[in-house]
Amino acid sequence: MSAHIPWLTVVLVIPLGTAILLQVVPRDQRAAIKGLTVLGTLATAGIVAGLLVAFNQHPSIPAVGPRPQDQVIAFQFEEGHSWIPAIGATYHLGLDGLSAWLLALDAFVFLLGAVAVSVDTERLKFYCGLLLVTQAATIGVLLSVDLLLFYFFWEGMLVPLYFLLANYGDSGRGRATLKFVGYTVAGSLLMLLAIIYLYFNSQVPALFGPAGGRSFDLQLLMLAPGPASDPVNFLGVHLLTPIQFAFVAFALAFAIKVPLVPFHTWLPDSYANCPPATLTFFAGIVSKLGAFGFIRYGLTLFPGPIHDFQWILEGLAIVSILYAAMLALAQTDIKRIVAYSSISHLGFIVLGIFALNVNGINGAIIQMVNHGIIIAGLFLVVGYVEARVGTRDRHEIAGLERRMPWLYALFLVITLAGLGMPGTNGFAGEFTILLGAFQANPLLAVLGFLGVILAAWYMLRLHQGLMHDPLSKAADKVRDIAAAERLVLLPLAALIILIGVYPKPIGDITRSGAAQYVTRASVPPPSLSSLGTP
C-alpha cells in the first residue's frame, strides 16, 4: 500500500463520509439507503484487509536506550499531526499487533450489521447513519495513540449508541439504555480525571516531548518518569499511591465496558432489549474495547500497579467466568442465556490479560476476535428464532430441526464454537488463555476449566432444547431462514471453522503485539537519567 496515503485516516473517514452521503438520499428510497450503508462498510473492510496484508509481523521496536523499559510500542502506518498545540494534544494514529485484527473484526461486524438490517426498519436512514458514526468512533478508539484523542472517541462512541439503543428494540430499552450510559459515563469520568493527572504529573523530557514537558501522547508518556509514589494519607491511614489511584480509575472504566462482575448488570438488560442486527456490532466489538484498553493503556502506563492489582483482577475474571455461567444456566429467556454466556467468555479474555505473559495476552487478543464472531452468530440465530416463533422462552420452543434444517446446521457450528470444541475458533483462543493462566498459577487454569465445563452444559442444553426435543406448538408452522439470512450466517460459520483449523494468520500478528506489551508490563517505569536528559 502506498506510504503517501494516510490509510488510517481514510479508514476513519469512510464511515463518516458515508453517513453524510446518506443525508441526501430520500427517506423512502430504503433499498438505496441500505445499499449505500453496505457499500460504505464494504469499502472500509476492503482497506482494512489491505492493511492486514501489508502489516509487518516482525516490526523493529523503537527504543531510546539499551534496556527493555527504554522501548515503546511499535506502531505501523503511523500518522501524527498537531491537534491542540497549547496543551500538547496530537492527532496520532497507529496500528499494532493488538489493534490490527480487532480493526478487522470491527470492519467485519459492522459490514454484517449493515447487511443484516431490514429495509423495513423504522427510520432506516437514521439507523444506518448511527451505525456508521458508531463504526467511526470504534475505529478511532482502536487507532488512537494519543490519550486525549482516545478519550474523545471513547466518549463519542456513546452518542450514537445512546440513540441506537433508545430508539430501536424491545419495550424495556429505555431503562436499559439509561443503565448502560450511566455505568459507562461514571467510569469514563474517572478515567478522564486519571488522564488529567498523568498529563500534569508525568513530565516528558524536553529531548523527546513538546515545550513544557507535557503530552497526552502514549509513546511519550511511556518514556516519562513515573509520578510521585508516596501513598495518600487519610486520617492517619496510608491509602493507595496516586499512580495506583490513576490505574484504578482506568481499570474501572475498562471493567465496566467489558464488563466484569460486579459491573455487569447493564449488559443483560441492554442485550435483551437490543435488535439482533444492532447486537452484531454492539456485542461483536464494543465490549472488546474494555479488554483492549486494559492491554493498550493498563500494561503500558501502569507497569507497577498492574502487578499490584493483578490477583484482584484475576479473581474478578474467575468470578465473572463462573458466576455468569451459572446465571446462564438459570435463564429461560434464550437471549439472556446468550448475554450471560458473553459475560462468562469475556471473563476468559480478562483472565488471559492478567496472566501477564505472552501466551495469556496472545490468547486474549485471539479470543477477542473469536468472541466477536461467535456472539454475533448467536444473537442472529436467537433473533431469527424469536421472529418466527414469537417467544424467547426456551421451554416453549422445541423441535426446530424438523422445520429449519439450515438454521439447525449453522446453529450447531456456532454452538460448538461457543463451548470451545477443538476444530472451532473458540478452542484456539481458550486453550492459549488457559495455557497462559497455568503459567501464572495452575489454580487459575483449573478454575477457568470449570467455566469451560459450564459453557458446554448451557450451550448444549440450549441447542438440544431448541432443536432436538419434540416439536412444540409454537414451532409447528415456522419456516426456515431465507437465502438473505443464510448469507449472513454462512460467513460466520466459515470463519469459525477456518480460524479453528488454521489460526496461524491471526496468531502471527497478535503474538508480536503480545510480546511487546508483556515487555512493557514486566519492567519499572524509566527514570530521567536513563533517557540521557541533559
Side-chain angles (χ1 to χ4, degrees), residues 385-406:
V385 170
E386 181 187 7
R388 285 159 173 78
V389 179
T391 180
R392 298 203 305 251
D393 190 333
R394 68 180 182 86
H395 296 306
E396 297 180 14
I397 311 169
L400 292 178
E401 177 193 7
R402 304 175 189 180
R403 297 285 187 266
M404 309 177 76
W406 268 103

Side-chain angles (χ1 to χ4, degrees), residues 189-236:
L189 289 176
L190 289 174
M191 183 169 66
L192 178 61
L193 292 175
I195 290 173
I196 294 171
Y197 169 78
L198 290 176
Y199 173 75
F200 279 107
N201 290 276
S202 296
Q203 297 297 306
V204 177
L207 181 64
F208 303 105
R214 290 174 180 159
S215 176
F216 292 100
D217 191 277
L218 175 64
Q219 288 182 316
L220 294 178
L221 289 172
M222 288 165 64
L223 295 173
S229 59
D230 293 334
V232 175
N233 191 304
F234 180 73
L235 299 178

Side-chain angles (χ1 to χ4, degrees), residues 225-257:
S229 59
D230 293 334
V232 175
N233 191 304
F234 180 73
L235 299 178
V237 178
H238 290 298
L239 302 178
L240 304 177
T241 64
I243 193 64
Q244 287 175 327
F245 273 118
F247 171 73
V248 169
F250 271 81
L252 282 172
F254 298 145
I256 289 169
K257 187 72 79 178

